[in-house]
Amino acid sequence: MAAKYILALDQGTTSSRAIVFDHAGQICSVAQREFTQYFPKPGWVEHNPNEIWASQASVISEAISNININGLDIAGIGITNQRETTIVWDVDTEEPIYNAIVWQDRRTAEYCDVLKGQGLVDQIRNKTGLIIDAYFSGTKIKWILDNVPGARERAAQGKLRFGNVDSWLVWRLTRGEVHVTDVTNASRTMLFNIHDLKWDEDLLKLLDIPVSMMPEVKSSSEVYGHTKTTIFAHEVPISGIAGDQQAALFGQMCIEPGAIKNTYGTGCFVMLNTGNKPVVSKNNLLTTIAWKIGKETTYALEGSIYVGGSVVQWLRDGLGIIKSSSEIEDLASTVQDSAGVYFVPALTGLAAPYWDQYARGTIVGITRGTTAAHIARAALDGIAFQTHDIALAMAKDMEAPLKELKVDGGASRNNLLMQYQANLLGINVVRPKITETTALGAAYLAGLAVGFWKDIDEVKTQWQVERVFEPTHDSEEIQQAKKGWEDAIKRTILPK
């Protein structure tokens, strides 16, 4: 009997999930487990790679046991992952030599300033589509090699391997037989030439990283290998890989040039399909690879927001004005607006389109009348304002107005936030029935590779709208709000 399901592994910044999809693209089973966040120093963020693997393995077992299926029932596995997070492990011991350095980590910011001072901004952008920033994997790899005793010697001997989380999971699932990544994850390392689709020898040399450490780069939809773990009684093909934001773009069926989505997760990530040619941004956005299927590579513009939904976690854990994240909408709804309070959540710096890695969070406009509800409202507004700034930059780069914004991720279920987003942008904000589009995109890529779905046209018919948020507020009120936000940004980005 033919396999009936696709298994998607969604390895995120704060939790690992496994989701089982059927042929109709419907969710049949979900399992999720959070894992520990480590903050050794201010601006440093780490994970334990073995804990990532353990959490992912446990949710795989839980998700398939929930509906009493096994490996024979699964046509393929798709992997989507937190991007840029950097893991280096030893081939002989199969153990990481240091904790995973998370994409949010800023420890290499000063070294990035050194690279900028050497006049390398244009060279690196022209090859990789990226700006020089501690966000990306390249400088994180260098830091590990420079700071872990014996690492450089082991690397020179060809005994170390680098991978983002996708590579680490494939390595563990295949028991070290397969060391691969896909073009989307490779394009986030600051070491990959997005034009010739190869690791760049000059950039590897610049950061003193041996090419022997690097995974083989594959397309986003093909069979990379088969599972060898005891999780499955039978071998299952691993047949799809994409970084989380690219997977969400595909899951949202943003397959035509000009289609745009925003994922409201720990951070927010706005991505716009630019077709088969990379568009060089004039407005501080990233040029990246959206996916590669067969021989065709699709490119995208991307704007990253470091702190999106995690600002709600900070209101809960840091400020203590809510007890659970789900309370934020009710609290914010008790006031008509933020009463002139603006919250720029630069808790780990500002990303696109400002790229100030030293900026820190700012709340302006506080008066004696300011309440916790106003702070909560300003926090949600800040997410929408940041998204607006990126969308505006994308419209300028494309020299065309945006038509609509597709949304997904946890915070997209916040109706107050989505309505304000539509008001700011002046276009419809469209939320699909299945907001787990990151996992869905990985499932689609995996299923297409093994013939579970015939082609993209078949997949496209499964995407359905749950709700459309239409802009409602008058433009004068919105224009005043935008001016207040611009002033708050100026107060956040202080002269150096």
Side-chain angles (χ1 to χ4, degrees), residues 104-179:
Q104 299 162 313
D105 190 282
R106 312 307 298 163
R107 77 186 64 189
T108 63
E110 289 186 4
Y111 178 67
C112 288
D113 288 340
V114 171
L115 295 177
K116 292 174 187 175
Q118 292 173 351
L120 295 167
V121 172
D122 289 341
Q123 178 188 340
I124 287 175
R125 170 168 277 184
N126 290 339
K127 290 184 175 199
T128 68
L130 308 177
I131 56 98
I132 297 173
D133 195 84
Y135 179 21
F136 306 110
S137 309
T139 59
K140 300 181 196 299
I141 303 170
K142 175 178 168 55
W143 188 94
I144 291 173
L145 294 180
D146 287 344
N147 288 275
V148 174
R152 284 237 165 258
E153 291 77 7
R154 294 291 287 167
Q157 295 165 5
K159 296 295 187 179
L160 296 186
R161 296 291 180 267
F162 151 75
N164 294 125
V165 174
D166 63 310
S167 300
W168 174 241
L169 292 181
V170 172
W171 177 273
R172 295 302 300 259
L173 285 166
T174 62
R175 290 192 168 179
E177 285 189 8
V178 180
H179 184 218

Side-chain angles (χ1 to χ4, degrees), residues 38-46 98 104-107 143:
Y38 297 96
F39 308 99
K41 296 181 181 180
W44 291 29
V45 189
E46 296 178 0
Y98 190 79
Q104 299 162 313
D105 190 282
R106 312 307 298 163
R107 77 186 64 189
W143 188 94

Side-chain angles (χ1 to χ4, degrees), residues 11 58 75 88 121 128 209 256 278 326 347-348 364 388 448 459 495:
Q11 204 299 302
S58 70
V88 175
V121 172
T128 68
I209 298 170
E256 302 296 332
S326 60
L347 307 183
T348 55
V364 301
H388 165 269
L448 288 168
V459 168

Side-chain angles (χ1 to χ4, degrees), residues 62-355:
E62 183 180 343
I64 62 178
S65 64
N66 282 346
I67 53 175
N68 196 29
I69 63 174
N70 60 37
L72 290 176
D73 300 305
I74 301 170
I77 296 172
I79 295 174
T80 184
N81 57 287
Q82 51 167 320
R83 305 170 304 169
E84 298 94 20
T85 295
T86 299
I87 303 172
V88 175
W89 65 93
D90 190 292
V91 173
D92 293 337
T93 67
E94 298 191 350
E95 286 294 314
I97 66 168
Y98 190 79
N99 271 347
I101 301 181
V102 180
W103 59 272
Q104 299 162 313
D105 190 282
R106 312 307 298 163
R107 77 186 64 189
T108 63
E110 289 186 4
Y111 178 67
C112 288
D113 288 340
V114 171
L115 295 177
K116 292 174 187 175
Q118 292 173 351
L120 295 167
V121 172
D122 289 341
Q123 178 188 340
I124 287 175
R125 170 168 277 184
N126 290 339
K127 290 184 175 199
T128 68
L130 308 177
I131 56 98
I132 297 173
D133 195 84
Y135 179 21
F136 306 110
S137 309
T139 59
K140 300 181 196 299
I141 303 170
K142 175 178 168 55
W143 188 94
I144 291 173
L145 294 180
D146 287 344
N147 288 275
V148 174
R152 284 237 165 258
E153 291 77 7
R154 294 291 287 167
Q157 295 165 5
K159 296 295 187 179
L160 296 186
R161 296 291 180 267
F162 151 75
N164 294 125
V165 174
D166 63 310
S167 300
W168 174 241
L169 292 181
V170 172
W171 177 273
R172 295 302 300 259
L173 285 166
T174 62
R175 290 192 168 179
E177 285 189 8
V178 180
H179 184 218
V180 298
T181 190
D182 88 303
V183 290
T184 70
N185 281 289
S187 73
R188 311 297 296 188
T189 59
M190 217 171 77
L191 298 168
F192 187 70
N193 190 309
I194 62 171
H195 306 285
D196 63 18
L197 306 184
K198 294 178 181 177
W199 296 118
D200 191 273
E201 293 181 6
D202 293 337
L203 296 180
L204 288 169
K205 186 176 180 181
L206 174 69
L207 298 184
D208 196 13
I209 298 170
V211 70
S212 60
M213 292 181 65
M214 309 306 288
E216 183 180 0
V217 183
K218 300 278 195 174
S219 77
S220 308
S221 180
E222 64 177 276
V223 176
Y224 313 102
H226 293 77
T227 60
K228 295 287 190 288
T229 72
T230 55
I231 301 171
F232 306 99
H234 307 275
E235 290 189 357
V236 181
I238 304 166
S239 51
I241 298 174
D244 50 12
Q245 303 316 315
Q246 288 94 332
L249 190 71
F250 195 74
Q252 285 276 32
M253 286 290 101
C254 292
I255 55 178
E256 302 296 332
I260 179 176
K261 70 88 195 172
N262 187 22
T263 298
Y264 297 80
T266 303
C268 289
F269 301 88
V270 190
M271 191 170 274
L272 182 145
N273 184 328
T274 64
N276 59 10
K277 292 183 180 179
V279 172
V280 178
S281 176
K282 298 176 183 177
N283 294 281
N284 289 326
L285 301 175
L286 306 178
T287 304
T288 197
I289 296 175
W291 52 75
K292 182 184 179 187
I293 299 175
K295 295 183 179 180
E296 186 172 342
T297 303
T298 299
Y299 292 87
L301 283 172
E302 180 176 335
S304 308
I305 297 167
Y306 293 144
V307 176
S310 57
V311 72
V312 179
Q313 294 174 330
W314 181 78
L315 291 179
R316 180 193 67 194
D317 302 335
L319 215 54
I321 65 172
I322 53 175
K323 291 182 179 178
S324 68
S325 296
S326 60
E327 295 176 15
I328 185 73
E329 185 171 2
D330 287 342
L331 177 60
S333 296
T334 61
V335 292
Q336 187 173 353
D337 54 42
S338 68
V341 177
Y342 292 87
F343 186 171
V344 182
L347 307 183
T348 55
L350 276 176
Y354 303 105
W355 296 110

Side-chain angles (χ1 to χ4, degrees), residues 380-394:
L380 293 180
D381 290 353
I383 298 172
F385 278 121
Q386 291 180 100
T387 302
H388 165 269
D389 292 348
I390 291 172
L392 192 65
M394 286 181 170

Side-chain angles (χ1 to χ4, degrees), residues 390-460:
I390 291 172
L392 192 65
M394 286 181 170
K396 289 178 181 177
D397 277 337
M398 297 300 288
E399 298 180 346
L402 303 177
K403 296 177 181 178
E404 66 177 18
L405 176 69
K406 291 182 175 180
V407 298
D408 55 74
S412 72
R413 292 189 283 270
N414 187 311
N415 293 332
L416 186 69
L417 172 58
M418 293 301 99
Q419 185 59 60
Y420 196 64
Q421 190 72 80
N423 295 343
L424 280 179
L425 292 171
I427 59 175
N428 288 349
V429 168
V430 182
R431 186 169 65 197
K433 283 189 175 179
I434 296 180
T435 56
E436 301 290 355
T437 52
T438 302
L440 185 59
Y444 283 154
L445 290 167
L448 288 168
V450 294
F452 189 75
W453 289 289
K454 183 175 67 173
D455 52 30
I456 292 178
D457 287 338
E458 181 184 3
V459 168
K460 193 176 179 180

